[in-house]
Amino acid sequence: MNESYKIISSSILFWFSQKKWFVYSILISIFLLNLNTPLGLTVPAYHSLIILLLVFMLVTFEPIPFPAIALLTLVLQVVLGVAPPNVVASSFMNDAVLFVMGSLMFAIAIVHQGLDIRLAKLIIKIFGKSKRMFLAGLMTISAVLSSFLGEHTVIAIMLPIGLSVIKNIDTQQADGKNAVLLTLFSIAYGTIIGSIGTPSGGARNVIMINYLQEFSNVSIDYWKWMKHAYPILMIQLVVAYFVLQFTFPSSLNNIKMRGFKKNVVKIDVKKNINHLFSCLIIIGIVSSWFAFNDIYGLGIIALAGALTFMIFGMISWEEINKNTNWGVILLFAATISLGFQINETGASSWLVLKFNELLATFPSNSMDVSWSIMAVLSGLTANFFTSSATVSLIGPLAIELHPTDISFALSSAIASGFSFLTVISSPTAMIIYSTGLVSTKIFFKVGILMFCISIIILYLMSQFYWVML
Amino acid sequence: MKILIAIGGREFSKPTLDLGMKIANSFKSSTTIAYVGKKISQFSEKDVSVVHQNLDDRELYRPGIRTLEWAYDFLISKKYIEEKDSNTFDDYLLVDEENSRMKVLLKGQQSDKIDLIMRTGEIIEQLKDEVETNKHDITIIGGGGNKGIHQKLVQFIDSSVFVVKNYSVYKKYKILLPVNDSEGSDMAIDTAINFAKSYKLNVEIVSVPEGKKSIEEVKKILNKTKDKFSKNKIKTTTKLIDGLTVNSIVNYAKDDSIIILGVSPKNLIMKYFFGSKPLSIALKCNCPVLITK
């Protein structure tokens, strides 16, 4: 009896110690449910906001698996009367979710082809004249590729190239350590900055486009997004290059640009054909995003990319199934569904009303203040909560602030891409951190400067450049 | 006996590894050296896994391997492992086992006495799983980092826990054994006897009068413990110290002490929320502490 008690109580305590944030989140939600509904809010709207808070806490602290959070979000929407089952089910799947699914599969298929070897040769050929040029090239290529193919694809391709040139550097010496950090941050910042460039650069962009279409009937095509975002990307790249050179001064003597060649296996004819065909598929998909996204949607085109790789036997379903993060897909689907309900129930209008009441107390131009708060809030939330989840939950609020002015919605989505502060904010940051060569402290130290500069660039561009478009 | 040595950063892990291997060698026990990698956010775990696979394919070390390589070289330099041409890290194989566990196999590795493993995730969860799956008797961990980790380790891991704080290879250590009449104390005495015999260390037995216990009763416990050591031909001194148990022992312990304590008999729930005396001693003192289970 005593032994059984010990085992049971130890198991319960261990469960509690690991899942305490789940318990706290549920207790807070129950407490809020028992309060009176705030004035001006309907009961479903109030309940949708409680679910929003619950999801924020659960995703931030991760006490339970993402698929469980997704299912809980769906169940609670129905049980708490936010929306009937059929409405929840229909809002669960849309083009943005298909895009998340398609782009993840497409990324796995591309990475599987081993294009990094060829890309490394190309970068060395173009930028190999000097080591600083090489790093600038790594950053630029990362940004351009990431803007079309997404962060997770590009970081997986570029990191081995980066690690191979810094392989034998002694990180105990300041010069060597700075060279390592400079290389890794060049790739990371290139990839992060690039993801704001086009709609396919990140799921958050597609989610915002979908919301704008649904809630404001405003349509933004691939080209229109690029016209708004690409100049910001280019300015950010130049700034990031100098910020990194200034933060990590290094002679770069230890960097071995040809290091990657050592690992390059002889590419045979079959591989050549494979690589050529992969490039054709990628070009085909990116062109389709430009030309046909109005007709077919970004998600369906991304799925077509993964499908083509599978049909031609260039990747097996088992490989895709093993490496696709189904939990994230479910979570995005559930949070997008919740985002729709927050808008439908009028909860977002109520929040914006309260926000505007608060703004009225400010003496300065309320448009500027509301833009700044919204952009900084989107950027900061994304850094602690990841960008796509942030846009799926606070996107409706950004649109509601100025439903006919796309600059608010675009700024919110773009600011969410400024994942410079924390390592949990984006796959790129987490992958760089997982190498063990970059600490959270260093990431934040460099990131805070980049974050502030990026917000200023975004503000200036939205004020002076977007108005000309 | 099976020993688990958990290592993190290189410099901080040296004393842990050194003391851990000394213990393993003296008990002729099999040893697992575990590197627990950073917990990856669920958002990025598949992306990270794809990248790590890619690094393996390109023959670039995946994170964690460098630390294990350093640990392996350290063991060779200290002659805990015999150096052979064939057992270097130039040719390693990662075997993906269950529950985020990866075993590193080196070409030509002869001994099954030392396992090198990598795990990824929340450190307590990973070490708990490692101990439960492989039935380790002692878990050895460094004294740096978050104190909460040590508390949770002692609380949840089903093995004795050795927290290696401020250990120096150049010091001559002695065992400090606080005793009372609890079951945990008896286990600590047995462990201390084994340690003292293996290392030829002097032992200092101390006791603090607690509750309604008279000085005579405490002296009786001290003498009884001394007898157990005498039977094993181990030199001991005894000391009765006054004051509050935790503070008295923490103040009495010196830099060259290795404190060996029994686990508290207190209710688990009470221990979780309010802590326990062995745990408080382990957290407050400035020398290596072994809490036996």
Side-chain angles (χ1 to χ4, degrees):
Chain A
M1 182 64 191
N2 196 24
E3 192 59 25
S4 312
Y5 166 76
K6 266 188 184 170
I7 291 169
I8 292 168
S9 55
S10 172
S11 304
I12 292 172
L13 280 174
F14 184 65
W15 180 88
F16 176 75
S17 77
Q18 300 301 103
K19 314 276 180 198
K20 57 178 179 283
W21 277 105
F22 175 70
V23 178
Y24 297 156
S25 308
I26 294 292
L27 289 177
I28 291 170
S29 304
I30 291 171
F31 171 73
L32 291 173
L33 280 171
N34 283 296
L35 295 180
N36 289 332
T37 306
L39 213 65
L41 259 186
T42 61
V43 172
Y46 179 50
H47 287 177
S48 70
L49 290 180
I50 294 173
I51 301 172
L52 171 74
L53 182 70
L54 178 72
V55 172
F56 260 116
M57 287 189 284
L58 293 179
V59 172
T60 306
F61 297 105
E62 298 187 18
I64 56 173
F66 278 178
I69 301 174
L71 299 183
L72 185 68
T73 310
L74 298 180
V75 169
L76 287 179
Q77 284 186 63
V78 176
V79 172
L80 295 178
V82 174
N86 284 339
V87 174
V88 172
S90 61
S91 62
F92 186 66
M93 193 51 82
N94 59 32
D95 189 55
V97 179
L98 289 182
F99 177 78
V100 176
M101 194 192 293
S103 64
L104 287 177
M105 292 179 178
F106 190 45
I108 291 158
I110 294 172
V111 174
H112 189 71
Q113 308 311 315
L115 288 168
D116 51 331
I117 297 167
R118 203 167 281 278
L119 196 63
K121 280 183 167 178
L122 188 75
I123 294 171
I124 290 169
K125 201 173 168 186
I126 302 173
F127 301 100
K129 284 182 185 138
S130 87
K131 287 174 183 176
R132 283 193 206 279
M133 271 279 280
F134 173 73
L135 290 182
L138 268 187
M139 194 189 234
T140 311
I141 297 281
S142 301
V144 173
L145 288 178
S146 161
S147 69
F148 294 107
L149 302 175
E151 282 183 54
H152 42 277
T153 317
V154 177
I155 189 70
I157 293 174
M158 300 301 279
L159 188 66
I161 300 176
L163 284 179
S164 61
V165 297
I166 56 171
K167 197 176 169 184
N168 296 317
I169 293 182
D170 179 11
T171 51
Q172 302 298 317
Q173 293 172 343
D175 191 62
K177 193 179 179 185
N178 280 350
V180 167
L181 292 173
L182 190 55
T183 310
L184 291 177
F185 271 95
S186 297
I187 295 171
Y189 277 9
T191 311
I192 291 171
I193 291 167
S195 70
I196 65 166
T198 77
S200 58
R204 60 181 176 274
N205 306 344
V206 184
I207 293 169
M208 190 54 98
I209 288 175
N210 255 44
Y211 278 163
L212 273 169
Q213 179 73 54
E214 289 287 331
F215 304 154
S216 302
N217 211 16
V218 173
S219 116
I220 297 185
D221 63 17
Y222 208 82
W223 180 237
K224 193 174 178 182
W225 183 288
M226 273 186 78
K227 274 198 296 185
H228 283 79
Y230 235 85
I232 301 175
L233 178 159
M234 290 192 280
I235 298 171
Q236 271 190 300
L237 266 189
V238 176
V239 170
Y241 177 79
F242 287 109
V243 165
L244 293 180
Q245 296 289 334
F246 171 74
T247 318
F248 304 117
S250 169
S251 65
L252 304 182
N253 283 340
N254 301 320
I255 286 188
K256 301 259 183 300
M257 278 195 299
R258 307 266 157 189
F260 199 77
K261 276 198 162 177
K262 237 175 98 183
N263 301 313
V264 176
V265 228
K266 206 180 168 191
I267 299 176
D268 53 24
V269 182
K270 197 184 162 197
K271 271 223 164 84
N272 272 333
I273 295 169
N274 226 21
H275 285 177
L276 177 70
F277 207 70
S278 305
C279 291
L280 288 176
I281 295 173
I282 294 168
I283 292 168
I285 293 300
V286 173
S287 314
S288 304
W289 274 328
F290 267 107
F292 306 118
N293 86 87
D294 282 352
I295 312 166
Y296 301 121
L298 292 160
I300 291 294
I301 296 171
L303 281 175
L307 180 70
T308 314
F309 275 110
M310 275 193 280
I311 287 175
F312 286 101
M314 295 164 80
I315 190 164
S316 66
W317 166 249
E318 286 71 27
E319 191 70 26
I320 286 190
N321 186 31
K322 188 179 91 181
N323 293 316
T324 301
N325 200 334
W326 299 106
V328 164
I329 296 169
L330 275 176
L331 183 73
F332 282 162
T335 50
I336 290 169
S337 158
L338 181 62
F340 272 101
Q341 304 320 329
I342 287 171
N343 187 67
E344 291 297 313
T345 54
S348 55
S349 308
W350 181 83
L351 280 177
V352 168
L353 193 75
K354 293 286 160 196
F355 181 65
N356 285 333
E357 280 175 17
L358 183 77
L359 281 187
T361 59
F362 284 79
S364 57
N365 182 348
S366 68
M367 273 287 270
D368 283 351
V369 178
S370 65
W371 185 94
S372 308
I373 294 177
M374 187 272 312
V376 174
L377 185 73
S378 300
L380 286 180
T381 313
N383 271 282
F384 294 96
F385 191 65
T386 80
S387 55
S388 300
T390 298
V391 171
S392 64
L393 292 176
I394 65 173
L397 305 180
I399 295 172
E400 192 70 38
L401 271 172
H402 287 275
T404 50
D405 181 2
I406 61 164
S407 71
F408 269 67
L410 275 182
S411 300
S412 171
I414 291 173
S416 304
F418 298 158
S419 340
F420 301 115
L421 300 178
T422 65
V423 296
I424 55 160
S425 54
S426 69
T428 302
M430 189 47 91
I431 287 166
I432 290 290
Y433 172 67
S434 80
T435 60
L437 298 166
V438 176
S439 69
T440 48
K441 211 170 146 188
I442 290 177
F443 201 86
F444 182 80
K445 215 174 102 186
V446 196
I448 188 79
L449 186 61
M450 265 314 289
F451 182 82
C452 296
I453 296 173
S454 299
I455 291 285
I456 293 168
I457 294 171
L458 179 60
Y459 176 75
L460 295 175
M461 294 299 273
S462 70
Q463 292 293 307
F464 302 107
Y465 167 66
W466 288 358
V467 287
M468 295 192 294
L469 293 174
Chain B
M1 186 180 256
K2 289 175 98 176
I3 289 179
L4 172 66
I5 306 173
I7 58 166
R10 298 178 187 193
E11 282 310 307
F12 299 114
S13 297
K14 246 182 204 174
T16 314
L17 206 50
D18 196 42
L19 183 58
M21 285 310 296
K22 272 186 183 154
I23 295 169
N25 276 5
S26 60
F27 287 113
K28 294 187 173 53
S29 52
S30 68
T31 311
T32 301
I33 296 169
Y35 170 84
V36 181
K38 312 263 194 275
K39 189 187 175 195
I40 305 296
S41 148
Q42 289 184 55
F43 273 113
S44 310
E45 58 187 9
K46 291 280 181 182
D47 298 319
V48 171
S49 147
V50 168
V51 170
H52 287 183
Q53 277 173 36
N54 223 6
L55 295 183
D56 278 346
D57 294 345
R58 303 278 169 267
E59 292 176 15
L60 292 164
Y61 282 153
R62 70 158 65 204
I65 285 285
R66 277 177 192 270
T67 311
L68 286 176
E69 183 184 19
W70 163 83
Y72 198 76
D73 288 345
F74 178 77
L75 299 189
I76 289 174
S77 71
K78 291 273 178 179
K79 306 212 180 324
Y80 291 121
I81 306 176
E82 194 186 336
E83 187 175 12
K84 287 178 189 153
D85 288 343
S86 54
N87 65 358
T88 63
F89 251 80
D90 291 340
D91 204 352
Y92 71 87
L93 183 69
L94 270 180
V95 183
D96 210 341
E97 297 179 337
E98 282 180 353
N99 296 337
S100 320
R101 188 184 202 260
M102 293 186 116
K103 193 169 177 176
V104 183
L105 292 180
L106 302 180
K107 195 181 170 189
Q109 190 177 359
Q110 304 288 321
S111 166
D112 56 356
K113 283 269 183 190
I114 295 180
D115 278 339
L116 299 171
I117 63 147
M118 283 205 311
R119 280 179 167 266
T120 312
E122 207 272 320
I123 187 162
I124 304 295
E125 206 174 320
Q126 293 302 318
L127 293 181
K128 185 178 191 298
D129 187 61
E130 180 63 31
V131 169
E132 277 172 11
T133 315
N134 296 294
K135 311 272 178 247
H136 294 288
D137 301 290
I138 302 180
T139 301
I140 300 175
I141 187 163
N146 187 349
K147 284 184 175 178
I149 289 178
H150 300 138
Q151 183 173 354
K152 283 184 182 168
L153 270 178
V154 174
Q155 179 94 46
F156 296 120
I157 286 191
D158 201 16
S159 75
S160 300
V161 177
F162 201 162
V163 183
V164 183
K165 269 189 199 176
N166 298 322
Y167 174 76
S168 164
V169 279
Y170 306 109
K171 269 184 207 159
K172 170 78 182 153
Y173 280 88
K174 62 175 187 288
I175 292 174
L176 178 64
L177 179 68
V179 290
N180 58 18
D181 55 357
S182 70
E183 203 179 309
S185 187
D186 290 343
M187 284 169 73
I189 294 166
D190 293 341
T191 309
I193 290 172
N194 285 332
F195 262 74
K197 266 199 296 204
S198 306
Y199 288 120
K200 299 187 173 46
L201 297 178
N202 291 334
V203 180
E204 207 168 2
I205 308 164
V206 296
S207 192
V208 184
E210 293 170 305
K212 291 174 185 168
K213 281 217 166 53
S214 65
I215 304 251
E216 275 62 41
E217 281 175 300
V218 177
K219 277 184 179 165
K220 215 170 152 184
I221 294 170
L222 281 173
N223 290 333
K224 203 175 136 192
T225 311
K226 190 180 167 79
D227 289 346
K228 285 186 185 172
F229 281 89
S230 303
K231 278 180 196 162
N232 287 283
K233 295 174 184 152
I234 299 165
K235 278 184 190 170
T236 56
T237 56
T238 57
K239 176 101 179 166
L240 192 146
I241 38 182
D242 276 332
L244 296 168
T245 314
V246 174
N247 289 343
S248 309
I249 293 170
V250 170
N251 292 335
Y252 189 79
K254 305 279 179 317
D255 284 355
D256 62 350
S257 305
I258 293 178
I259 305 179
I260 299 183
L261 295 157
V263 72
S264 165
K266 237 164 117 178
N267 180 303
L268 284 172
I269 297 168
M270 298 294 281
K271 269 199 276 190
Y272 181 79
F273 289 105
F274 304 108
S276 65
K277 283 173 192 165
L279 199 58
S280 301
I281 293 168
L283 295 179
K284 284 184 179 176
C285 72
N286 209 22
C287 58
V289 182
L290 170 63
I291 298 182
T292 58
K293 281 190 184 175

